[in-house]
Structures are given as C-alpha cells and as structure tokens.
Amino acid sequence: MKKVLIISALGAMLMVSCADEFDQTYEVGRPDMSAEYAYLNDYKPLKEYVSNPDFKLGLAVEANDYLKQELVYSLTNSNFGEIVAGNAMKMASVVNDKGEMNFATVSDFVNTATEAGLNVYGHTLAWHSQQPAKWLTSLLADKPIEIDPNDMVEKEVTNIDYTTGTTYNYGWGSGTAMEHISMDGGLKVVNDAAIDPWYDLQYHIASGLSFDGGTQYKMIVKMESTGAGTMHFKIGDWGSAVKEGVFDFDAGENEITIEFSPAEGVSGQFILFQSGDFVGTYKLLSLKIISMEAAGPATYMASLIDNGDMEGDDAHNFATKSDQGAITYEIFDGVGKDGSRGAKITSKGGYGDSWESQFWIVSNEVLNEGDKIHVSFDYRADGGCAGTNVDTQAHFGPGEYQHWQCAGTVAFTSEWQTYDKTFTVDASMAGANGMKSIAFNMSPNASDGAYYMDNVVLEIEKAGDGIPLTPQEKKDTLTWAMEQWIAGMMEACDGNVHAWDVVNEAISGGNADGEGVYALQHDNGDANNFFWQDYMGDLDYVRTAVRLARQYGPEDIKLFVNDYNLESDWDQNGKLKSLIAWIKRWEADGVTKIDGIGSQMHISCYANPTTQESKKKAIENMLKLMAASGKLCRISELDMGYVDADGNSVKTDDMTEEQHHQMAELYEFVVSKYLEIIPANQQWGITQWCATDAPANSGWRGGEPVGLWDSKYYRKHTYAGFADGLAGK
C-alpha cells in the first residue's frame, strides 16, 4: 500500500503550520496485513460522522505532545472537536510543594487549541489524587508557639516545712551541744556561746537528695533569728561538695537563696548547716530546692466538640435520654443567646430523682485521669425549669455512669448566664476506660419547662510546640487554598474553557448509608493523596468547588462531576445511583448547581459471552439512569482493553484479528447506545482517552490495545467501530 505523508492522508482540513518538518509516515492499513485493513481507507475523519451540532467528540492528549504542533496536533485537529489535557490541568502539575503556581503550560495549551478551533474541556478542578499533598498538608500544620529557648521555668524538687515537724533529720556536736537543737515551731537552735564552727553543732537539715548534673538549682531557706549571724553550709556528701560556703542572716525573718549546679548527679546527697560561731537563737522554718529547667512545650486548650455555637445542624456532641421519655433535645433558630441558634432541652417535672432525665456533652476523645478540662456555656431556663440546680456526672458514653460528681452544679434561672468551670479528671471520673461525656441531671424541676444552652465549649489542656488548628480553621484554610487554585486556573484559561470536571472521583463505591447511598472517598492512608472532603465536609467540599468555579469562570461555564465504574454490573450501577443521590444532596442548598455527569468508562471487551452481555446491559442501564437525571451526559474517558475467556487481560502483541473485531463491535455498541438513549439536548459528547495503544511501560493500562490507532498511528478496527457508532450504522 502506498505510503503518503500525514498531511495528505489526513486531508486538507489538517491545521498544521509545520507539516514540512514531519518525517512520520501514515498508512490506513498495516503493511503486513494490508488486505485486512484496506477497508479503513474508506473512512473519513471521525468528527465528520457527528450529526448533532451540540455533540462534542473529544480526545485526551498530553499537553506537551500537542504543543509540538506535529503528529498529535494534526491527528487531534483532524478527527476531534474537543480536547482534554491528560495531566497538565491537574493541580499537582501546576502547584509545587511550596504552593507556587505555574500556569504557563496551561495557557499555551488552551490558547493553541482554541486557535486551532477546538473546544478545551477542563480536567480537573477538585480531586484527591495528583494534588500538591505536601503543600496542602503543610497548611494544616499546628500554629507554632513562640518559645524563647532561654526561658526557664522553676520546678519544685524538695519542700520541707519545719514548722510542722516533730524531729529533725540528724546532727551531732561536741559535748552537750546537740541538746541545744529541738523542734519548736521550726527547727530551733540555741547557741549559748561561740564554739568551733565546723566540729560543733553541725547537723543535716535534709538528706537523701539527688541532683542532676548540669542543672541549675536554687536552695531557698526561710528562717527567723534573735540576732544577726553567719551560717556555714555544705551541699554534697562526705567526700565532695556540690556547693559550700557561708551566708549571713539578720535579726527577724530571713529568706536566703543560694544557687548551685552540680557537675553530675550523685544519690544520697545532703544539706549540712553549722552555726557554732553564732550566739543566739534561730529557727529554720522551711527549705525548698527548685530546679531551673527549659520552658519546654507550651500549653494550650484544644476543643473536644464540634458545633458548640449550635449554628450548624450537626449535633453528634450532644445527646439526651430519659427513663420515662420525659426529655427532648433539638437545635432551633431563635432560642440561643441574642436570638441565635441554640439548644432547647424540654423536661417534664415531678420525678423523684434528678438523674431520671439527662443531657450530655460528648467529647470527641476519651479523657483520662489528670487531664485538665475547661467547660463553659451560656444558659437559661423557663417554666418549671427556672430556679433549679442541675448537677453533673461523669460518664463514659451517654448513660454509662462512672461518678456522681464532675463539672459542678449549674443554677438555672430565667436570665441568660455564663457557666465557666475548669476541673481535673480524677480517678473516679475516669474509671477503668476513661471519661467521654458530662451528664447534666435535668429532672430537678417540679413542673414542665425547658432548659436552653448555647456557645458550648469543652476543651482539654494539651502541651506542645504548636497549637493544632481547629476543624473550622482547617476548613477555612483549605477554602482559601482552593480559591487560590481555581481563581488562578480560570485566569490562566482567560475565559476560553467553558466546561470542567469540577469534582473528580468523589464516590467511594462502598459503605452505603441507610438509604443505600455510597459514602464519599476519604483518607485511605496514601500520603500521595489529599482528601479535601476530610476537612471541608462531604457537602461543602463540592459546594465550595462549584461556587468558586462559577465565581471565577466564564458566565456560561458547565460543571460536571466525573467518576469511574458508573457502568458497573456487579452492583447494578450502584455507584451511579449514589452519585445521582449525592448531586441532589449537594444541590439541596438551592444555590449549588451541577450541570452534568461524566462517566469515565475505562472498560474491557470480554471473550466470555455471558460476561459481555452482563456488561452491555449495565452500560445501557447507566445511560438510562444518566438520561433520567436530567443532567448533561458525557462519556469522559472512554478506552478499552480485552479479557480472554479465562479472565486474563490480553496484551496488544497477543491480540488476534477476531479479538480486534470484537473490540470494534463493542465500541460501535457503546457509541450508538449513547446516541440512542441520551436525548439530543443532554448529549455533551464522548471523549476517547487513548488515541493509540499503550506502550508496555505506560503507567496507564501498559501494553494493552486501548487505542483507535496503533502505536505507529495506523487506524485499527476499533476506529471503524467508533466511526460506525457515530454514523448510526
């Protein structure tokens, strides 16, 4: 078969400014099988088979390959009306680990494709994969606490109160000297006459001490004396001294401070005093040893609850229970302080025990013995509840009683007040497994009434070099980051990109709720992923992305939610049904609008006829569900592999002609069913994800026959199947 230059083979419609530079040859049939492939000569470029003017036939390409304006550029422009960048418009391709954004490739790609007459479809604004996870994670780091490394804090090591003692530690003296030492409102020493200052009347005031080498210490002695004098002292043991010397004291009360720093820690150390050269009476009142240590981690209060201001609907940190069903709890508008949202706890009266109806504040984490807790809230009552004293109890979970006393007693009146209490969890409160909730005994009222609470705070004191961001601070921070990203992208596109995957791959495909709706994807332990929804919430994650895209994008922007496995037969299209349900939830605010659904359709052709028939039925059902949603419908990333009768994926090099024809038939089925089932006004279009078969070393379906052209850009049977589907054959 005659070889011709690509510019001739693809036709005059190719918009190639540098065609003369091509040395790539193009054949519609493979040289070794020209008879099998000669019929492909008769096919026109794919886009010429599109009859619906609103239908967009797209191709995904690597932006840099397209920007060379060579083969990929020519092939794309000749056959397709829409173009998608495989990776260049994803966040990790633009934003580095420092949060710096470089949109140069994006701008070049969009401008080049637009000038060639193509629509550019944006992929993708919000996703958990291919994100600058290092930068985004750094935004959520603890707020640093400024600590001067030279700051020191005092830590008490020893504190002896001699005024309460009945014996002194140890002493000896010459002759009858020791008879002059006694305990009398302090360690009392009476010296009748001056004696040898070192061998008479010397005694330990403390022993059994241990000091750490290199640590700064203070010895603080309080004493009172009948007159001025001199005291000899020694800190150490019999063989060595950490510190020794003399200090002076005056008549009356004295406080003497001596600083010392031992070279190394030695156990069994003592402090020795000797006052043999003083004539008079004095009393040692107290002795403190204080170590001077680096300030270390600072302390801060960390919140243990969400929605404490009651402004949201989330109430998982609050609960009520009544043995008689006599109490209800709900968050209402207008019942909080200053007319804001607040909690109203209604309570019937007349019960014998105050704990028969209870209300709980539930911590997000278990509280243990020694934890310092701060609780505060605004409160009032009406009806029979006004004028009552409500006690608190320590519980594990609500109703799991541990101790009768916890955060004190709250005196409710008809006027708003603020309750503020700091306490330490003791062993009784913590029990064996810790404490998790504070119970309020809401049945002291004699008649029906209601209690009101607002602005609830439950905090725990923690220590560290930084203060963790609150959930709201994390949400606000990521909202800011998302805005920088989306605003920057829209500016780089300069109004030339009118449709986007606003959120990509949000649905998990499992963990169905009570309505059978799959959960969103969340943190899976992969450090390369970053799940915005973990911090912004399942609703606000998508709503925020939509809001920002409409705020910064062109007025006619269309926003799609794109996902994979929507054509799944193993769960009867359960993921698509869940996506449609989530779209309704996201749009329930009356503001958010999602224009379309994108189904990726990375499918396979199965040699097993039973399996293939099941897959086809699921594809048809997917298209019917998409059409019934009323949204624009797009097949966003269509490609295809082949699976043999034994369930094994077949590589391109091992494919038979019969298998290639089976794939072509499935392409024709998918494309024609899309055009048949999706109403014309809901048809956005179909994007082929892989132009050519994947190289063996490709990160995407490596070595598989996923293209409409082979690796040398020769048309395949799948090209004919795709074209026939578009033509309605």
Side-chain angles (χ1 to χ4, degrees):
M1 183 169 293
K2 183 179 179 181
K3 294 184 178 182
V4 292
L5 291 175
I6 185 172
I7 186 66
S8 300
L10 294 183
M13 75 290 295
L14 293 180
M15 292 167 283
V16 183
S17 61
C18 48
D20 293 341
E21 300 176 12
F22 294 164
D23 59 7
Q24 168 74 41
T25 58
Y26 177 88
E27 294 181 78
V28 294
R30 289 163 49 188
D32 58 336
M33 298 186 70
S34 59
E36 284 284 346
Y37 286 76
Y39 78 100
L40 293 171
N41 280 318
D42 297 330
Y43 279 88
K44 298 178 291 186
L46 290 176
K47 67 182 181 181
E48 295 190 26
Y49 294 100
V50 175
S51 57
N52 180 356
D54 294 326
F55 178 97
K56 299 164 187 65
L57 182 62
L59 179 68
V61 301
E62 288 302 318
N64 288 328
D65 290 341
Y66 184 81
L67 288 171
K68 293 175 184 177
Q69 298 194 33
E70 297 175 353
L71 179 59
V72 171
Y73 176 89
S74 300
L75 185 71
T76 304
N77 296 348
S78 173
N79 285 276
F80 300 92
E82 186 166 82
I83 189 171
V84 180
N87 290 294
M89 299 175 83
K90 294 172 181 174
M91 192 174 184
S93 299
V94 173
V95 185
N96 66 19
D97 288 343
K98 296 180 181 179
E100 299 165 337
M101 301 185 186
N102 184 345
F103 291 98
T105 299
V106 171
S107 295
D108 289 348
F109 176 74
V110 171
N111 291 336
T112 301
T114 301
E115 290 170 3
L118 297 180
N119 294 316
V120 179
Y121 186 95
H123 177 74
T124 175
L125 290 178
W127 194 19
H128 62 267
S129 185
Q130 292 184 245
Q131 302 294 286
K134 186 175 181 180
W135 175 60
L136 293 171
T137 301
S138 73
L139 296 178
L140 306 179
D142 295 351
K143 293 178 289 187
I145 302 173
E146 296 295 332
I147 300 176
D148 187 337
N150 297 317
D151 283 351
M152 305 293 285
V153 295
E154 295 184 350
K155 180 179 178 181
E156 189 176 279
V157 176
T158 299
N159 188 351
I160 302 175
D161 183 358
Y162 296 108
T163 64
T164 61
T166 57
T167 59
Y168 55 89
N169 185 266
Y170 175 75
W172 89 90
S174 175
T176 60
M178 294 309 298
E179 298 175 1
H180 295 268
I181 301 177
S182 63
M183 302 302 298
D184 180 14
L187 199 159
K188 183 178 180 181
V189 179
V190 179
N191 288 351
D192 295 330
I195 54 178
D196 188 315
W198 283 110
Y199 295 103
D200 291 307
L201 206 58
Q202 59 181 349
Y203 54 92
H204 293 84
I205 63 170
S207 61
L209 306 176
S210 179
F211 303 115
D212 295 328
T215 300
Q216 295 291 327
Y217 292 90
K218 290 181 181 180
M219 178 177 70
I220 302 172
V221 177
K222 288 186 178 181
M223 60 181 292
E224 57 184 32
S225 176
T226 58
T230 300
M231 182 77 74
H232 299 259
F233 72 92
K234 179 180 181 181
I235 304 172
D237 56 29
W238 295 117
S240 62
V242 173
K243 180 89 171 184
E244 60 182 335
V246 177
F247 65 81
D248 297 327
F249 56 86
D250 298 321
E253 294 184 358
N254 293 264
E255 182 173 296
I256 298 96
T257 299
I258 297 170
E259 297 183 358
F260 62 95
S261 179
E264 62 182 34
V266 179
S267 61
Q269 295 184 343
F270 55 69
I271 299 175
L272 184 71
F273 274 14
Q274 194 280 330
S275 58
D277 54 0
F278 167 71
V279 178
T281 300
Y282 62 88
K283 287 182 183 179
L284 298 181
L285 303 177
S286 66
L287 167 75
K288 286 185 180 180
I289 303 293
I290 294 172
S291 65
M292 304 299 295
E293 300 181 1
T299 59
Y300 60 91
M301 300 305 293
S303 178
L304 293 168
I305 62 172
D306 306 317
N307 195 32
D309 61 5
M310 308 288 179
E311 292 307 309
D313 294 321
D314 188 0
H316 69 264
N317 289 112
F318 310 101
T320 55
K321 168 184 170 293
S322 174
D323 295 337
Q324 290 80 26
I327 188 168
T328 60
Y329 153 67
E330 194 171 350
I331 294 177
F332 289 102
D333 289 325
V335 302
K337 188 176 182 181
D338 301 322
S340 62
R341 286 171 69 79
K344 180 179 181 180
I345 306 114
T346 60
S347 178
K348 294 182 179 180
Y351 295 103
D353 296 311
S354 62
W355 57 82
E356 291 189 54
S357 296
Q358 293 180 311
F359 169 79
W360 287 269
I361 301 175
V362 185
S363 168
N364 287 333
E365 63 183 72
V366 175
L367 312 179
N368 298 301
E369 181 181 0
D371 286 342
K372 187 175 181 180
I373 306 301
H374 172 236
V375 59
S376 70
F377 48 85
D378 295 319
Y379 66 104
R380 75 173 186 91
D382 62 20
C385 296
T388 60
N389 292 328
V390 171
D391 296 324
T392 59
Q393 297 175 345
H395 286 217
F396 186 72
E400 298 177 292
Y401 170 83
Q402 295 194 155
H403 191 56
W404 61 270
Q405 191 277 336
C406 187
T409 299
V410 185
F412 278 86
T413 68
S414 59
E415 300 297 325
W416 280 105
Q417 304 175 72
T418 299
Y419 188 79
D420 195 284
K421 177 79 172 181
T422 300
F423 65 95
T424 300
V425 177
D426 61 24
S428 297
M429 298 178 194
N433 300 312
M435 168 187 159
K436 201 147 190 309
S437 62
I438 301 172
F440 293 78
N441 297 332
M442 296 300 214
S443 294
N445 45 302
S447 58
D448 295 355
Y451 301 96
Y452 301 88
M453 296 177 70
D454 194 7
N455 303 318
V456 179
V457 173
L458 184 65
E459 300 174 313
I460 184 172
E461 184 180 82
K462 293 191 175 183
D465 296 330
I467 303 175
L469 301 184
T470 66
Q472 186 62 49
E473 288 174 327
K474 291 179 180 180
K475 182 177 181 179
D476 292 344
T477 298
L478 290 181
T479 300
W480 170 85
M482 183 179 284
E483 183 169 9
Q484 304 310 300
W485 154 244
I486 292 178
M489 176 59 79
M490 294 301 177
E491 181 180 6
C493 294
D494 195 25
N496 290 319
V497 181
H498 300 267
W500 280 90
D501 288 331
V502 65
V503 174
N504 197 43
E505 299 179 1
I507 311 299
S508 70
N511 301 314
D513 60 19
E515 299 176 2
V517 178
Y518 294 159
L520 296 197
Q521 296 210 57
H522 288 283
D523 187 4
N524 59 4
D526 186 345
N528 295 319
N529 290 334
F530 185 87
F531 291 85
W532 298 75
Q533 55 267 44
D534 286 355
Y535 309 96
M536 300 179 72
D538 290 350
L539 295 177
D540 283 348
Y541 162 53
V542 175
R543 289 173 177 174
T544 301
V546 170
R547 174 179 62 81
L548 293 172
R550 296 199 185 281
Q551 178 180 344
Y552 291 101
E555 289 185 6
D556 62 347
I557 193 169
K558 300 297 182 184
L559 301 177
F560 289 72
V561 177
N562 186 50
D563 221 318
Y564 60 93
N565 284 347
L566 303 188
E567 75 285 353
S568 56
D569 61 341
W570 58 85
D571 64 351
Q572 294 74 51
N573 304 98
K575 191 171 185 180
L576 174 57
K577 295 172 185 175
S578 296
L579 175 56
I580 293 170
W582 273 106
I583 290 175
K584 292 178 180 177
R585 294 176 183 181
W586 292 322
E587 293 183 332
D589 62 357
V591 177
T592 303
K593 181 186 177 185
I594 293 167
D595 298 293
I597 297 173
S599 175
Q600 294 182 13
M601 291 198 68
H602 301 295
I603 60 176
S604 291
C605 179
Y606 288 83
N608 184 308
T610 302
T611 302
Q612 189 61 74
E613 185 61 25
S614 176
K615 301 296 182 183
K616 284 185 173 181
K617 287 181 179 179
I619 291 171
E620 286 190 75
N621 194 48
M622 176 198 75
L623 295 170
K624 291 175 182 177
L625 289 168
M626 291 174 69
S629 74
K631 301 295 183 182
L632 293 170
C633 303
R634 178 173 181 259
I635 296 178
S636 57
E637 303 178 20
L638 180 62
D639 59 23
M640 188 185 300
Y642 190 90
V643 177
D644 66 19
D646 295 323
N648 300 313
S649 177
V650 179
K651 299 298 184 181
T652 304
D653 292 343
D654 300 321
M655 289 284 292
T656 67
E657 287 302 302
E658 180 184 0
Q659 290 169 340
H660 280 299
H661 280 292
Q662 290 173 5
M663 291 182 67
E665 291 171 2
L666 184 56
Y667 265 112
E668 186 276 334
F669 172 84
V670 171
V671 176
S672 64
K673 284 297 179 182
Y674 173 91
L675 295 172
E676 172 191 329
I677 295 172
I678 304 299
N681 63 346
Q682 289 179 249
Q683 292 178 10
W684 182 268
I686 299 174
T687 291
Q688 174 67 19
W689 196 246
C690 300
T692 66
D693 294 339
N697 62 353
S698 172
W700 178 251
R701 305 185 82 163
E704 293 190 44
V706 290
L708 304 182
W709 290 264
D710 68 14
S711 60
K712 295 182 179 179
Y713 290 89
Y714 298 145
R715 288 176 180 174
K716 295 170 51 182
H717 298 308
T718 50
Y719 182 99
F722 202 112
D724 289 346
L726 290 171
K729 291 185 179 180

